[in-house]
Amino acid sequence: MENAMTSAYSHLQRTFTRLSRFGHLSAIAGWDMQTMMPPQGSQARSEALAELSVLCHGILTAPDVGDWLAQAHQETLDEVARANLLEMQRAYDNAVLLPASLVEAKSLAGARCEHAWRSQRPANDWQGFAANLKEVVRLSREEAAIRAEAAGTGRYDALLNLYEPDMTSARLDTLFGDLKQWLPDLLQRVVEKQRAEPCLTPQGPFAVDTQKQLSLKVMALLGFNFDGGRVDVSAHPFCGGVPDDVRITTRYNPEEFLTALMGIVHETGHARYEQNLPRDWAGQPVALARSMAIHESQSLLFEMQLARSAPFLQCLRPLVVSAFGEQEALSEQNFLRLNQRVKAGLIRVDADEVSYPAHVILRYEIEKALIEGEIEVDDIPALWDEKMQHYLGQDTRGNYRNGCMQDIHWTDGAIGYFPTYTLGAMYAAQLFQAANRAMPSLQQDIAAGNLAGLFQWLQQNIWQHGSRFSTDELITRATGEPLNPAHFRHHLESRYL
């Protein structure tokens, strides 16, 4: 990239390096807010983060930046620099549309709503939550209207583009429409099949300290770099921080250890992607993760394709037994059944991979209607219950805590994010199948605890590229074709039927 540096482009590089450093501070302050910060710090921290977001917005949208972008497009740049310039342009175009006042108001409303949600959710306080959410939705609609007008798209598409560039709701409707054709029947058949396969529940309690030690061993097995990250506890598991300092979290339950353990595997997938993004381009947008669906493809490849496969469970079981002792529920056959159990439930983050897409489609349909103004915040609980009954046969009436209040995403206006989970599951199935084709001994290697080949393949095909290619090009280079949901269906049918 150095050779390609010319006047306007080098000004842009310096500007984006500066933005990256402020983004670093914002990420760590945000992580602290969700893990370590005492409750009383919320207001001051929210204001500090809002101030920082306004500062970054000002740097990114300065008139000079627009001028430099126009000039840089005329300069001779190498392939990576050209890709970086496209990402710079995208960031600028996304930011310059919004007035600083809206950026600040969104940041403050989101922080207020998220902080209150932490106590409102356990209290099942929908009314209190809805009051804050209305302000977040009002500001999100304002943002969506501005973006949609500039892009000439629908309002939801304008927000979806922030998380998944080049994806549209029309394409999602096709992909999800196809899923809705065959998934309910598959879910029913799998549940029916598993009814004849008794599955014992491990008997606790499972000491939290022991669970933590087990988590660290599994993270090490999965190649997490502890010199460049750490694991903590939060109300909602997440992966945050920056590539040189990745912060992941989970939540422990002394009565049950698998949710926290698989949560760790999932977040470690995110973390490995972050830790292996291209360091040569650090501080530049081309060095960032391609999109949220690609990010989710990495966490779901780790959690679903790898960690719930029979070969990996074979190598994970001895670690679990050495942590908690031998019991019948941890026998080889039962341990496999435990980790491949399919059951429609209320909670998205605890859902198995067969029922999970239904949780995502439900949220997608609600948030799309919400942002387009077809429904209001007060309509969410009834609509949620109706869709839960339809897709998963679950009753959520009056149970806001485990219904429409369970997720953190809407609290800070992250509307357009949910579809990336199921897109990620589709990409993960396609990538894992390609890795198996490339390495015929992969399944035996996994059973032996040798994961180096898989990680090397991911490094070569996904991690090292950052945002150098579009999502379609990245996936086509890695697997030989763009997104093909048939791989996801094939994976579910072959594992569960």
Side-chain angles (χ1 to χ4, degrees), residues 17 29 67 74 109 139 210 255 281 291 297 400 409 435 446:
T17 295
D67 295 341
Q74 307 307 312
L139 294 167
T210 310
E255 300 309 310
W281 319 327
S291 72
S297 78
Y400 310 112
H409 305 60
I446 290 169

Side-chain angles (χ1 to χ4, degrees), residues 131-406:
N132 287 327
L133 185 61
K134 282 173 185 174
E135 179 61 6
V136 172
V137 169
R138 184 185 73 76
L139 294 167
S140 297
R141 283 174 173 173
E142 198 179 317
E143 177 184 358
I146 293 169
R147 294 194 182 287
E149 190 179 350
T153 64
R155 292 180 181 193
Y156 186 77
D157 279 18
L159 297 185
L160 175 65
N161 186 58
L162 298 173
Y163 303 99
E164 202 52 33
D166 306 322
M167 183 52 68
T168 64
S169 54
R171 195 170 164 203
L172 282 179
D173 289 342
T174 302
L175 289 166
F176 290 173
D178 175 60
L179 259 181
K180 289 197 285 188
Q181 293 295 309
W182 55 265
L183 193 69
D185 177 60
L186 176 69
L187 179 58
Q188 211 174 337
R189 282 162 66 204
V190 174
V191 169
E192 203 55 49
K193 175 177 180 277
Q194 292 188 349
R195 200 167 277 144
E197 301 164 354
C199 183
L200 301 171
T201 304
Q203 298 306 300
F206 304 97
V208 167
D209 280 347
T210 310
Q211 290 194 54
K212 285 181 179 173
Q213 290 311 307
L214 175 60
S215 294
L216 295 174
K217 284 180 182 165
V218 172
M219 286 167 73
L221 175 65
L222 295 171
F224 184 89
N225 173 12
F226 288 98
D227 289 334
R230 54 180 286 147
V231 59
D232 294 278
V233 173
S234 68
H236 195 97
F238 69 91
C239 173
V242 292
D244 291 307
D245 183 4
V246 179
R247 309 294 177 96
I248 73 170
T249 67
T250 191
R251 50 188 174 200
Y252 297 102
N253 173 1
E255 300 309 310
E256 187 271 318
F257 70 89
L258 277 172
T259 304
L261 185 59
M262 285 300 170
I264 282 284
V265 173
H266 180 98
E267 300 307 336
T268 302
H270 281 305
R272 290 298 316 276
Y273 184 24
E274 285 289 322
Q275 289 182 332
N276 287 279
L277 286 167
R279 286 298 194 280
D280 293 355
W281 319 327
Q284 299 301 304
V286 75
L288 298 173
R290 171 61 279 170
S291 72
M292 282 320 303
I294 295 299
H295 230 310
E296 287 305 328
S297 78
Q298 299 311 288
S299 58
L300 291 169
L301 189 144
F302 271 55
E303 182 196 357
M304 299 301 183
Q305 299 292 324
L306 173 64
R308 293 186 194 274
S309 70
F312 186 85
L313 291 170
Q314 211 175 305
C315 101
L316 177 64
R317 196 183 78 86
L319 295 178
V320 171
V321 169
S322 107
F324 303 120
E326 194 68 84
Q327 55 169 284
E328 213 183 329
L330 297 180
S331 69
E332 199 160 312
Q333 188 187 46
N334 200 74
F335 191 60
L336 176 68
R337 286 179 179 177
L338 269 174
N339 284 285
Q340 293 187 356
R341 208 66 181 168
V342 172
K343 183 177 184 285
L346 295 172
I347 306 295
R348 176 186 64 85
V349 293
D350 297 343
D352 58 83
E353 61 181 332
V354 182
S355 62
Y356 191 95
H359 289 269
V360 169
I361 291 168
L362 173 152
R363 287 156 177 77
Y364 161 64
E365 291 174 348
I366 291 176
E367 69 176 18
K368 186 179 167 193
L370 191 63
I371 216 69
E372 300 283 4
E374 293 161 14
I375 61 166
E376 296 301 328
V377 168
D378 290 333
D379 300 321
I380 293 175
L383 200 52
W384 188 283
D385 184 63
E386 182 191 311
K387 288 179 182 291
M388 274 305 258
Q389 296 272 16
H390 177 68
Y391 289 137
L392 292 158
Q394 302 294 305
D395 185 349
T396 60
R397 285 171 298 179
N399 184 357
Y400 310 112
R401 184 178 67 234
N402 297 323
C404 54
M405 282 178 73
Q406 67 182 268

Side-chain angles (χ1 to χ4, degrees), residues 1-5 9 75-84:
M1 280 178 94
E2 289 302 306
N3 307 338
M5 285 212 310
Y9 181 72
E75 293 171 353
T76 305
L77 302 173
D78 67 26
E79 187 204 343
V80 176
R82 181 69 54 196
N84 193 35

Side-chain angles (χ1 to χ4, degrees), residues 464-486:
Q464 67 164 338
H465 296 305
S467 285
R468 184 175 178 178
F469 306 115
S470 70
T471 306
D472 273 355
E473 189 178 349
L474 183 70
I475 291 297
T476 303
R477 282 168 168 267
T479 69
E481 59 179 333
L483 178 60
N484 179 355

